[in-house]
Amino acid sequence: MVDYYATNPGPVEDIVLYDQDKHVSSAVWEGQERGALRCHEHTSKLDQWMLTEKQVELVKMAGFGYLRMIPAISLDNPLISSLVERWRRETNTFHFTVGEMTVTLEDVAYLLGLPVDGEAVIGVTYTSCEAVCIKLLGKAPDSGYTSGGMVKLSWLKETFSQCPEDASMEDIARCTRAYLLYLVGSTIFSTTTGNKVPVMYLPLFENFDEAGKYAWGAAALSFLYRALGNASLRSQSTISGCLTLLQCWSYYHLNVGRPKLNHDPIHECFPFVLRWKGKQSSPTSNRDVAFYRKSLDSMKPSDVDWCPYSNISHTVIPEHILRSLILGRSKTMLICYDKAERHLPDRCLRQFGMHQTVPEEVQKWERKSRGVDGGVDLSTKMESELNEWSNRHLYIVEAEEDVEESEYMQWYMRITRKLVGRPVPISSEFQRMNAALREIAHIAETISTHGLDDQQLQSVTRIRYITYECLRDQIASTVFVASNSQSEAGKKVRGKERVRRKGMGKRKRKEEVDQYYAAGIPMQHRIPATAFDVDPSHLYHIGNEMDNPHLCITVSEDDHGRISHVAQSVDDIDFCEDAKEVDESHFHHLVGEQDDHLSSEVAEDKPHASLDIVVPQVSHETREDVAQQNDYGVLV
């Protein structure tokens, strides 16, 4: 029995995942591999900052006492990339085979120890660094260290990482502000620029006590949501945000790529990312994106730990963190300046020990950007989002009784993208399509036309024409097939694969169809192209009607009652003059090989210049072999 998802990975109904065509999973299904994402996080040099005791006190006061303890974890780029392929910006959740999951405010509190309750992180934007740096740091960077409203992390470290023990309180405050800007720019607010941080966060550190009142954890999650959403688009190749949070979240929840610990975690430390501090066994150097993708595609409920923190002693967790954990179930808006993202715990209730119900429809929201104007306070621009956040305690999701999760899973399977990778390699599907096209052409070629009326004769002719058109297209598309065959053999390709088709840009296909005959051929009947074998058929050029720039087919019968196609004119359509065999493993480009010979015959106005293109008569044994190699149907 054919697996439905082998040819249609979903969604069956696009009521939730309405942006599927933009998603990276569509590109992967089409054979366009982008490789592992470039992951931007800069924790490796944080330990080079030498903080005095007074500075440590100020850092704790500002709410970053635990974040500064975060170790530099080696990022698993292929694992992160495969998770991104499962992220959906329509719902801000991962769509796994077992249901939806996400990084919640509860995860941020447990893993990073950042405050998830408090004032929204928002303020004034800047397009220049000089004024705000002089005011709060006492000096401004040279122009080579700035870019618009961003400053290089290297300048902050070179200038402020060594605070003298006998420094004045003003200098201590300045060095600490520089450290906090470096800290957030390296971790929770890391950007795809790789080495810069916006100075707009700096005024929030002017008063350290006031800084401690912000919901930095909520801002970090909003930033990560936006980064995941951007990276999930098929056109992207980088990701930023707090990737340590994402990777450790995966380690706790999923038995996919989870390393073995070299130490005994009996005595847990807070925050919980410290569990993965240092090097772990089970090296992942031989694991690529395809390896993790396959693991996630085949993930079972037993591979998921929905509530990984339940067995960890809460005695090590600070009281103010424990009090805020309830917000993990708050259906609210998360804010980090212009990055406002929805927090939807009702879609992953099992992460809170509840039974999952069919969630409410997600309201679309406008993802705003701060623009280029400096000195703009975003509070007025984000008024509705700020109102949602201010009411966060009013929208705590509660458990429902007598819930049958089977109903949820039935609904979920209709709206989700079940598979990212193909169960059957795309090259195998091309082979199956190749055999099917040759079969159709063979039947149409050998069918007797005696006794057929005009409409039946025209239908058979249309079948032959469509088949030949598809087989001709296969010549131009062999570059695409070959590149994907190499990818399946292990070649890693970065960026989008591009297919160039020779001689296909001068005429729109619709024009050819319109000139075919009055009935026309609907465009939706065209079959995707693959590689094929070419044997003799007969399309004859009549040289006295070269003014017509299109190929027109007329119908006649040979001595055996079979259909012959007569080409009355040719323009920009490349055929093979002689019978040549195109090996599927080498993909010879027949297009263009006959261009010069064909052109010379046209110029001489030869009335019987032969243009031969016909599909071989595939034996039943060959067709059966191909069918046995491919257990799945082909999606056309």
Side-chain angles (χ1 to χ4, degrees):
M1 183 176 180
V2 175
D3 183 355
Y4 174 76
Y5 290 102
T7 56
N8 185 356
V12 178
E13 301 175 12
D14 60 0
I15 54 176
V16 177
L17 304 185
Y18 46 81
D19 276 341
Q20 177 58 46
D21 59 326
K22 301 176 184 177
H23 197 262
V24 62
S25 60
S26 287
V28 171
W29 193 262
E30 295 163 8
Q32 300 174 12
E33 292 283 350
R34 67 180 183 185
L37 294 168
R38 294 195 298 276
C39 298
H40 293 279
E41 197 178 60
H42 317 284
T43 59
S44 60
K45 297 181 180 179
L46 273 171
D47 58 359
Q48 296 181 11
W49 284 75
M50 305 303 294
L51 300 181
T52 65
E53 291 184 5
K54 185 59 179 177
Q55 283 184 288
V56 172
E57 290 180 16
L58 295 177
V59 170
K60 291 179 179 179
M61 188 183 300
F64 296 95
Y66 291 107
L67 186 65
R68 77 176 188 88
M69 300 167 56
I70 300 301
I73 294 177
S74 178
L75 294 178
D76 189 343
N77 291 28
L79 172 61
I80 291 172
S81 303
S82 65
L83 289 172
V84 169
E85 292 178 348
R86 288 284 182 174
W87 181 263
R88 303 307 303 224
R89 65 202 301 261
E90 300 96 330
T91 59
N92 279 345
T93 59
F94 296 105
H95 278 234
F96 296 123
T97 56
V98 297
E100 292 180 69
M101 299 181 72
T102 196
V103 186
T104 69
L105 287 174
E106 181 183 75
D107 293 303
V108 177
Y110 277 130
L111 295 173
L112 299 183
L114 284 172
V116 296
D117 198 6
E119 299 296 321
V121 175
I122 197 168
V124 179
T125 61
Y126 294 89
T127 56
S128 174
C129 298
E130 184 175 2
V132 67
C133 285
I134 289 177
K135 177 184 178 182
L136 298 172
L137 301 180
K139 59 184 69 176
D142 295 335
S143 58
Y145 288 100
T146 64
S147 176
M150 306 182 77
V151 62
K152 284 189 176 181
L153 295 172
S154 58
W155 178 78
L156 294 171
K157 186 171 70 68
E158 293 167 5
T159 310
F160 300 99
S161 61
Q162 303 287 338
C163 183
E165 290 287 344
D166 58 350
S168 65
M169 283 302 301
E170 185 176 9
D171 286 340
I172 292 175
R174 288 170 174 172
C175 289
T176 306
R177 293 189 193 109
Y179 169 75
L180 290 174
L181 186 61
Y182 186 97
L183 178 63
V184 299
S186 301
T187 56
I188 58 176
F189 302 144
S190 68
T191 66
T192 54
T193 61
N195 62 353
K196 301 183 184 71
V197 58
V199 295
M200 64 185 182
Y201 304 114
L202 199 52
L204 303 183
F205 305 134
E206 181 173 6
N207 184 299
F208 297 100
D209 188 54
E210 291 296 318
K213 298 178 181 179
Y214 288 104
W216 294 106
L221 191 54
S222 177
F223 198 101
L224 180 61
Y225 279 3
R226 181 65 62 89
L228 284 166
N230 291 339
S232 70
L233 299 177
R234 60 194 301 166
S235 58
Q236 301 301 305
S237 60
T238 62
I239 185 172
S240 59
C242 194
L243 302 180
T244 292
L245 169 64
L246 175 61
Q247 186 163 308
C248 290
W249 176 90
S250 177
Y251 286 169
Y252 270 103
H253 287 83
L254 309 176
N255 187 23
V256 175
R258 179 189 293 161
K260 295 180 180 179
L261 297 173
N262 285 337
H263 59 277
D264 187 354
I266 294 178
H267 303 290
E268 294 291 349
C269 296
F270 188 82
F272 290 163
V273 293
L274 295 177
R275 182 177 189 179
W276 310 101
K277 184 177 182 178
K279 296 182 179 179
Q280 295 86 34
S281 58
S282 301
T284 60
S285 58
N286 61 335
R287 297 178 179 178
D288 56 10
V289 177
F291 172 86
Y292 286 123
R293 180 189 299 149
K294 184 176 181 180
S295 298
L296 293 177
D297 278 352
S298 59
M299 192 167 63
K300 300 177 178 60
S302 58
D303 295 320
V304 178
D305 191 344
W306 294 98
C307 304
Y309 317 115
S310 58
N311 296 326
I312 299 177
S313 174
H314 285 197
T315 58
V316 298
I317 304 174
E319 183 61 31
H320 72 279
I321 296 291
L322 286 174
R323 290 197 305 267
S324 65
L325 291 178
I326 189 67
L327 288 181
R329 293 192 280 119
S330 176
K331 191 175 179 181
T332 186
M333 186 74 76
L334 308 176
I335 299 171
C336 179
Y337 279 79
D338 60 311
K339 296 174 178 62
E341 295 287 341
R342 290 203 179 278
H343 184 246
L344 300 170
D346 62 315
R347 306 190 73 88
C348 48
L349 293 176
R350 286 174 286 185
Q351 291 181 229
F352 304 98
M354 305 177 186
H355 292 292
Q356 183 63 56
T357 58
V358 176
E360 296 179 0
E361 181 181 353
V362 181
Q363 294 180 352
K364 295 184 181 180
W365 72 98
E366 178 186 0
R367 286 180 165 91
K368 301 174 182 177
S369 60
R370 61 178 179 268
V372 296
D373 295 332
V376 176
D377 190 340
L378 294 176
S379 298
T380 55
K381 186 177 181 179
M382 311 287 287
E383 185 176 0
S384 62
E385 291 85 351
L386 288 169
N387 286 336
E388 278 200 49
W389 174 250
S390 64
N391 293 323
R392 58 193 176 279
H393 290 280
L394 302 179
Y395 296 95
I396 305 298
V397 177
E398 301 293 344
E400 294 187 21
E401 297 181 0
D402 300 326
V403 173
E404 289 289 339
E405 288 193 355
S406 58
E407 179 183 352
Y408 162 76
M409 289 306 298
Q410 291 174 3
W411 168 86
Y412 177 70
M413 285 302 171
R414 295 197 305 272
I415 63 91
T416 193
R417 179 81 167 187
K418 183 178 179 182
L419 298 177
V420 175
R422 284 179 174 265
V424 177
I426 195 169
S427 59
S428 297
E429 293 196 12
F430 280 156
Q431 293 173 11
R432 188 182 179 97
M433 180 67 74
N434 183 6
L437 284 172
R438 289 182 292 179
E439 176 98 11
I440 295 171
H442 172 61
I443 294 173
E445 175 73 17
T446 58
I447 191 172
S448 174
T449 60
H450 287 303
L452 298 182
D453 58 29
D454 290 344
Q455 184 175 359
Q456 293 171 330
L457 188 63
Q458 190 179 68
S459 296
V460 175
T461 306
R462 290 177 63 187
I463 293 173
R464 289 197 66 194
Y465 179 82
I466 293 170
T467 307
Y468 289 136
E469 285 290 284
C470 292
L471 292 173
R472 185 197 67 173
D473 287 350
Q474 289 177 356
I475 297 176
S477 69
T478 51
V479 175
F480 178 82
V481 180
S483 63
N484 281 284
S485 297
Q486 292 175 341
S487 177
E488 292 166 10
K491 179 180 179 181
K492 296 181 180 179
V493 180
R494 188 175 291 277
K496 299 176 68 176
E497 296 183 15
R498 298 183 179 181
V499 180
R500 293 184 174 90
R501 297 191 174 190
K502 181 177 180 180
M504 296 298 290
K506 298 180 181 180
R507 292 288 183 269
K508 294 183 179 180
R509 186 61 46 83
K510 184 176 184 302
E511 294 177 355
E512 296 179 13
V513 175
D514 291 342
Q515 293 292 329
Y516 175 36
Y517 45 59
I521 300 178
M523 292 299 291
Q524 61 266 31
H525 289 172
R526 299 193 177 277
I527 305 174
T530 57
F532 66 98
D533 296 332
V534 181
D535 278 353
S537 169
H538 304 288
L539 291 174
Y540 296 102
H541 158 66
I542 297 179
N544 58 358
E545 293 186 21
M546 291 307 298
D547 292 338
N548 188 341
H550 300 287
L551 174 67
C552 299
I553 305 296
T554 59
V555 180
S556 63
E557 295 183 17
D558 60 17
D559 295 337
H560 302 287
R562 293 186 300 182
I563 299 173
S564 297
H565 288 206
V566 181
Q568 293 179 308
S569 64
V570 178
D571 180 55
D572 293 328
I573 298 179
D574 302 311
F575 291 105
C576 306
E577 183 176 33
D578 300 316
K580 294 180 182 285
E581 182 172 322
V582 182
D583 192 297
E584 291 177 354
S585 64
H586 294 87
F587 306 108
H588 296 301
H589 287 272
L590 300 181
V591 177
E593 291 182 1
Q594 303 297 325
D595 285 350
D596 297 337
H597 191 62
L598 176 61
S599 299
S600 64
E601 290 190 342
V602 171
E604 295 172 11
D605 201 27
K606 295 181 180 180
H608 297 292
S610 176
L611 302 178
D612 301 336
I613 178 169
V614 157
V615 186
Q617 300 180 5
V618 185
S619 66
H620 290 291
E621 289 79 12
T622 302
R623 292 192 294 270
E624 290 174 358
D625 289 342
V626 174
Q628 290 174 358
Q629 295 172 4
N630 301 275
D631 296 330
Y632 298 98
V634 178
L635 176 63
V636 178

